[in-house]
Amino acid sequence: MLDPNMQTQLKRYLANLREPIELVASLDDSEKSAQTRELLTEIAALHDMVSASFDGTHARKPSFIIRRASDAQRWVRFAGLPMGHEFTSLVLALLWAGGHPPKIDADLIEQVRALEGDFEFEMFFSLSCHNCPDVVQALTLMALENPRITATLIEGGTFQDEVEERGVLAVPATFLNGESFYNGKMELAEILSKLDSGADDKAAEKLNAKDPFEVLIIGGGPAGAAAGVYTARKGFRTGIAAERFGGQLQDTLGIENLPGTSYTEGPKLSDDLKKQVADNAIDMMDLARATQIKPASKAGGMHEVVMANGAVLKSRAIILATGARWRNLGVPGEAEYRNKGVAYCPHCDGPLFKGKRIAVIGGGNSGVEAAIDLAGIVGHVTLIEFDTKLRADEVLQRKLRSMPNVAIITNGQTTEILGDGSRVNGLVLKDRASNEERTIELEGVFVQIGLVPNTEWLRETDLELSKFGEIVVDDHGATNLPGIYAAGDCTTVKDKQIVVAMGSGATAGLGAFDYLIRNEPVEEVAQAA
């Protein structure tokens, strides 16, 4: 199961084990069980503190638990093979069970240990889902730190019958004590905020205790990270408050148009940016959502940003880099069947539609790339474009047209998504030339029709927004309010691309630098007078 390179790497990691660990597998006669046996045998052979046994009696087969030999009450179960994006999760589970300390905020670990009650988590993932590892790793940590928490992490492709039975049509899908808990990516702090009623108050207390910043950036995508690096390197006390560091990068796989980088993936690029932010001593406040901005009354004064948990952050200059999100179709049935056949991430959810009929809405680069990826997994793809022609790059169009299980419909408008109450079973399509409507039977709809700026929370301010809700900026990234700058996909910058966002972030950072050196803090001016 493990090639020589993987074995070498894993052996090096296992050298960090401090206590013996046990792998206990429940297997049957299937091929996946044979692969599981092979994997665990190979792992056990790499370190004398790891033992593997195959006498488990759990109903889910193949599955195996990882536990510390001295404490059988703390364990995590993997059902199916945790390879692909989840191999790192497997490695971390081995290390944490073996006493290697996790690189997690100590306050969060204490919150996990202090949770009262019994929590039985089950979480479905797919091997191609780049959002799933965060949830897998968070639940793994919780199960290994608190004996009243269990986590069973299920690879949906191996347990397809259970996926069907429980109506799992989007991953990550998390259940708690048998009931649906959350669909989508969650980090440890988010899970704790749902379980611990005092989590938000604790987070607010930490934010309120922070000294005022010279530059505060709202948003942690490519634009926000670039802006932060530029202002921090100018010597200014810089903070980044992000609802989700990385932004859309976390939902992007192949990136091949970033100069100097032939190929990378969004989550990796996000991790690289996060490391660079840390290297520049920027105060990183993740999972921090801004809800209100109170501009300073005069140049050089303190702006205030109110967070969702009630905390207030202050700064002499602010850079808004809140990014954008996928645009909804806005038709009947879309909201009702979200995560029940309506999906927005083909990489995460595509494997759940193996062999089925699906539609992709949108003929730009994102839509055509999604259709190409899905065509290799699903039974049939119908690509629907509102315009009279596809808008994707010609090279992508040629690839799509070469695929035998793809149908392309242009000048088509999706007017309704249909379902049986529990999942999607079709959509209504109108021919924009003839106005005739017809129903297409299918099991999934992937929406890829562009972006909406994350600026709703700014509409009640004096900040100038375009008719599309974008923040209006000049060539220096400045808004109409002194000391407030903006960058990236949330602005009127024309092209919504990673490299453009990075450039606009740098521009806004330099603009904020120029503002700060030309405007003394009003508090200092008052004292001098």
Side-chain angles (χ1 to χ4, degrees):
M1 289 297 297
L2 301 176
D3 62 39
N5 182 54
M6 294 175 72
Q7 289 192 28
T8 300
Q9 290 182 338
L10 183 54
K11 186 173 184 178
R12 184 168 64 249
Y13 290 135
L14 293 177
N16 293 300
L17 293 177
R18 300 180 179 183
E19 297 187 42
I21 59 175
E22 298 175 339
L23 312 178
V24 182
S26 300
L27 306 177
D28 55 21
D29 296 329
S30 67
E31 181 181 353
K32 285 290 180 70
S33 284
Q35 292 173 342
T36 301
R37 179 186 292 272
E38 181 181 357
L39 173 65
L40 301 188
T41 300
E42 290 179 359
I43 293 173
L46 295 175
H47 199 286
D48 57 9
M49 282 192 182
V50 182
S51 64
S53 61
F54 306 97
D55 54 358
T57 58
H58 195 270
R60 283 196 185 92
K61 299 175 181 177
S63 70
F64 63 95
I65 62 171
I66 301 174
R67 68 188 181 198
R68 191 171 300 175
S70 61
D71 188 353
Q73 299 304 309
R74 301 171 194 251
W75 54 265
V76 60
R77 179 179 298 277
F78 286 94
L81 287 168
M83 303 300 285
H85 285 290
E86 295 302 340
F87 184 69
T88 298
S89 302
L90 171 62
V91 173
L92 289 174
L94 294 168
L95 293 178
W96 293 340
H100 185 67
K103 295 180 180 179
I104 304 292
D105 188 306
D107 290 343
L108 291 179
I109 295 179
E110 285 306 313
Q111 277 186 259
V112 172
R113 293 170 177 168
L115 283 175
E116 296 183 357
D118 296 312
F119 303 95
E120 181 181 344
F121 284 102
E122 296 168 295
M123 179 262 180
F124 290 84
F125 64 89
S126 72
L127 297 181
S128 60
C129 172
H130 51 279
N131 286 325
C132 293
D134 281 351
V135 188
V136 169
Q137 291 163 26
L139 295 178
T140 296
L141 181 69
M142 293 174 68
L144 294 174
E145 291 291 340
N146 188 325
R148 299 184 68 179
I149 300 173
T150 64
T152 299
L153 310 166
I154 307 163
E155 194 276 299
T158 302
F159 295 90
Q160 195 66 41
D161 289 345
E162 189 171 356
V163 165
E164 293 283 345
E165 179 183 342
R166 301 179 75 164
V168 176
L169 292 175
V171 290
T174 305
F175 293 79
L176 174 59
N177 298 334
E179 301 293 329
S180 179
F181 178 67
Y182 191 79
N183 275 85
K185 180 177 178 178
M186 284 190 301
E187 296 188 12
L188 178 59
E190 292 176 280
I191 298 173
L192 289 172
S193 70
K194 291 179 176 294
L195 301 178
D196 182 357
S197 59
D200 284 346
D201 291 339
K202 296 171 187 174
E205 184 178 352
K206 288 182 66 174
L207 293 181
N208 278 326
K210 293 183 181 294
D211 293 331
F213 295 95
E214 291 175 286
V215 180
L216 176 62
I217 299 159
I218 307 300
V229 168
Y230 267 75
T231 58
R233 288 174 63 85
K234 293 293 185 181
F236 290 119
R237 172 170 156 73
T238 299
I240 295 179
E243 185 172 355
R244 181 178 66 146
F245 190 88
Q248 288 185 75
L249 284 181
Q250 300 287 6
D251 304 321
T252 305
L253 270 190
I255 300 171
E256 300 177 290
N257 58 357
L258 191 64
T261 304
S262 297
Y263 179 84
T264 188
E265 295 186 351
K268 182 182 184 305
L269 181 57
S270 177
D271 288 343
D272 291 341
L273 290 173
K274 196 168 189 177
K275 182 178 183 301
Q276 190 174 21
V277 163
D279 290 344
N280 282 276
I282 297 168
D283 190 339
M284 180 64 227
M285 297 160 279
D286 208 355
L287 306 178
R289 180 169 64 89
T291 58
Q292 186 182 5
I293 189 169
K294 297 179 179 180
S297 59
K298 59 179 69 176
M302 283 289 176
H303 307 286
E304 293 185 353
V305 178
V306 182
M307 312 307 291
N309 58 20
V312 176
L313 298 173
K314 298 179 180 181
S315 181
R316 288 180 60 205
I318 289 177
I319 299 174
L320 301 169
T322 51
R325 63 187 184 278
W326 291 116
R327 184 184 299 276
N328 293 326
L329 277 171
V331 301
E334 180 181 20
E336 292 86 339
Y337 291 104
R338 185 187 301 269
N339 296 324
K340 298 177 182 178
V342 175
Y344 300 84
C345 180
H347 302 295
C348 297
D349 301 331
L352 300 176
F353 294 84
K354 183 177 181 179
K356 297 180 179 180
R357 298 159 298 174
I358 63 98
V360 173
I361 314 298
N365 281 350
S366 295
V368 172
E369 287 175 348
I372 291 170
D373 288 344
L374 290 166
I377 302 171
V378 305
H380 187 270
V381 178
T382 300
L383 179 74
I384 301 172
E385 165 55 34
F386 186 84
D387 202 351
T388 56
K389 60 181 180 181
L390 300 184
R391 294 167 286 109
D393 296 341
E394 184 59 35
V395 64
L396 295 175
Q397 292 191 42
R398 287 198 301 270
K399 174 65 174 177
L400 182 68
R401 296 181 193 280
S402 72
M403 308 190 86
N405 62 334
V406 173
I408 300 172
I409 298 174
T410 56
N411 214 22
Q413 180 180 359
T414 302
T415 60
E416 185 178 1
I417 294 175
L418 307 173
D420 61 6
S422 61
R423 62 183 64 194
V424 166
N425 60 20
L427 61 76
V428 178
L429 179 69
K430 183 173 76 173
D431 186 313
R432 295 178 59 235
S434 65
N435 284 327
E436 293 182 358
E437 289 190 340
R438 63 186 174 102
T439 297
I440 299 177
E441 295 183 355
L442 41 74
E443 288 80 37
V445 178
F446 287 79
V447 181
Q448 304 278 293
I449 59 170
L451 302 170
V452 178
N454 295 318
T455 58
E456 290 88 350
W457 64 288
L458 298 168
R459 288 177 180 169
E460 300 304 318
T461 69
D462 293 328
L463 195 72
E464 183 181 0
L465 303 178
S466 73
K467 64 180 181 180
F468 301 110
E470 300 164 319
I471 302 169
V472 178
V473 293
D474 66 12
D475 291 342
H476 303 284
T479 71
N480 64 307
L481 300 179
I484 299 181
Y485 294 76
D489 289 358
C490 65
T491 73
T492 49
V493 171
K494 179 184 176 183
D495 297 304
K496 314 305 184 187
Q497 298 288 319
I498 294 170
V499 68
V500 174
M502 289 177 170
S504 68
T507 297
L510 292 171
F513 163 73
D514 186 70
Y515 167 83
L516 289 172
I517 63 174
R518 294 175 186 274
N519 293 276
E520 295 185 48
V522 294
E523 294 83 2
E524 293 179 13
V525 172
Q527 291 172 1

